[in-house]
Amino acid sequence: MNRRAIVAANWKMNGDTKLVSSMVESLSGYVPPAHTSVVICPSYPYLALMSDKISQQGLNENIALGAQNANEHLSGAFTGEVSTNMLTEMSVKYVIVGHSERRSIYQESSEKVAEKVKVILDAGLTPILCIGESEQERIEEKTEVVLTQQLQPVVDAIGVERFKDVVVAYEPVWAIGTGKTASPEMAQATHAFIRGYFANLNEEVANKVPLLYGGSVNASNCDELFAQADIDGGLIGGASLKVDEFKVICSAAKGS
Ligand code: 13P
């Protein structure tokens, strides 16, 4: 199998300089499980500070920096936006793209998400591409159709081969910030569907692409979730703001 595990913290619009300091201090001396990457995605204003602190503590080997979004253009008159070049200068390595909050609140279409994935990859950064169905779509048994509709425009834009450098995060919208986690069996079944989608296009890519689960992951449910064959780690929201709990979740990851 040989897939890296990834545990990524999505702080969303939370956190402050104090949290940046306490998270990095707490992770100083922490060694993640073998073949596992730990990624922290604070808001833009904290990227430089976190990057400095990670370097000062000599943690570059163990912790990577991620951003929560990037603009699809390289530069220009886009007030309030941030380019991949700027993120690269801040030592960012990963970029979350297509999060359900961006899709629903900021009307980002799957085509826009595909453009962003391309620009992120072209900059040498790793996209963490989020996909997931709403509660209504799950009830109506449309999950597989919705996930396919979210993935297909990205495959069309970049080609399946480039998914070797992409991380996919399955985040059922109904599980985000609700405390309602998908059961390990349900999460595994959906991850197996996603891997099968890629296997139909390219077996090698399907075996390589890390699939993360996100949605109310915490210290109590991470072991069972990460034990599933097609779950290669997690994208963690609320629990990633709690320094000790985040470390417990990271330690549950199992890369190979
Ligand atoms: P919660 O872990 O708070 O449910 O958030 C998940 C998420 O949206 C991560 O991107």
Side-chain angles (χ1 to χ4, degrees):
M1 188 174 55
N2 285 354
R3 273 194 305 272
R4 279 192 82 69
I6 297 169
V7 180
N10 177 7
W11 284 7
K12 309 191 179 184
M13 201 171 73
N14 297 299
D16 50 20
T17 51
K18 237 171 93 183
L19 184 62
V20 171
S21 298
S22 59
M23 181 61 78
V24 177
E25 269 159 36
S26 147
L27 288 169
S28 128
Y30 172 76
V31 179
H35 313 296
T36 298
S37 302
V38 173
V39 182
I40 303 182
C41 309
S43 296
Y44 290 141
Y46 302 116
L47 287 172
L49 178 65
M50 185 161 265
S51 168
D52 287 348
K53 287 198 177 282
I54 288 172
S55 296
Q56 279 159 18
Q57 299 276 352
L59 296 176
N60 287 308
E61 291 285 303
N62 292 335
I63 303 170
L65 197 56
Q68 297 174 20
N69 187 24
N71 190 269
E72 64 277 22
H73 300 281
L74 294 181
S75 64
F78 302 103
T79 301
E81 291 294 299
V82 170
S83 73
T84 49
N85 293 338
M86 296 168 186
L87 296 179
T88 304
E89 277 209 310
M90 294 296 113
S91 307
V92 163
K93 301 280 185 267
Y94 292 79
V95 184
I96 297 172
V97 58
H99 192 280
S100 65
E101 288 147 20
R102 303 250 12 130
R103 291 179 192 262
S104 65
I105 306 170
Y106 301 102
Q107 281 82 45
E108 281 187 18
S109 65
S110 292
E111 288 68 28
K112 173 76 69 182
V113 169
E115 280 178 62
K116 291 189 175 200
V117 169
K118 183 170 185 315
V119 168
I120 292 163
L121 279 172
D122 288 347
L125 300 167
T126 302
I128 301 178
L129 167 63
C130 302
I131 56 173
E133 82 288 0
S134 68
E135 184 151 43
Q136 194 57 32
E137 288 161 344
R138 168 65 65 171
I139 291 167
E140 291 173 11
E141 300 184 357
K142 289 186 183 149
T143 299
E144 297 184 357
V145 173
V146 170
L147 299 181
T148 303
Q149 283 168 347
Q150 291 173 340
L151 286 171
Q152 195 61 47
V154 187
V155 172
D156 292 343
I158 64 170
V160 69
E161 281 283 330
R162 291 191 89 186
F163 268 85
K164 277 195 267 198
D165 300 317
V166 176
V167 176
V168 175
Y170 167 60
E171 298 204 301
V173 178
W174 47 270
I176 295 177
T178 58
K180 277 202 257 179
T181 324
S183 68
E185 296 74 26
M186 185 194 278
Q188 165 56 25
T190 311
H191 279 234
F193 166 77
I194 298 165
R195 204 173 299 287
Y197 167 87
F198 286 111
N200 281 333
L201 301 172
N202 183 316
E203 195 79 38
E204 196 193 333
V205 168
N207 286 331
K208 182 121 196 268
V209 63
L211 301 182
L212 314 187
Y213 171 79
S216 297
V217 178
N218 58 40
S220 316
N221 59 27
C222 58
D223 274 319
E224 257 199 302
L225 285 163
F226 296 172
Q228 304 302 312
D230 288 296
I231 300 184
D232 306 310
L235 182 55
I236 321 299
S240 74
L241 300 165
K242 298 175 195 151
V243 172
D244 292 332
E245 182 161 14
F246 182 61
K247 267 206 291 196
V248 171
I249 298 171
C250 292
S251 293
K254 295 175 182 62
S256 59

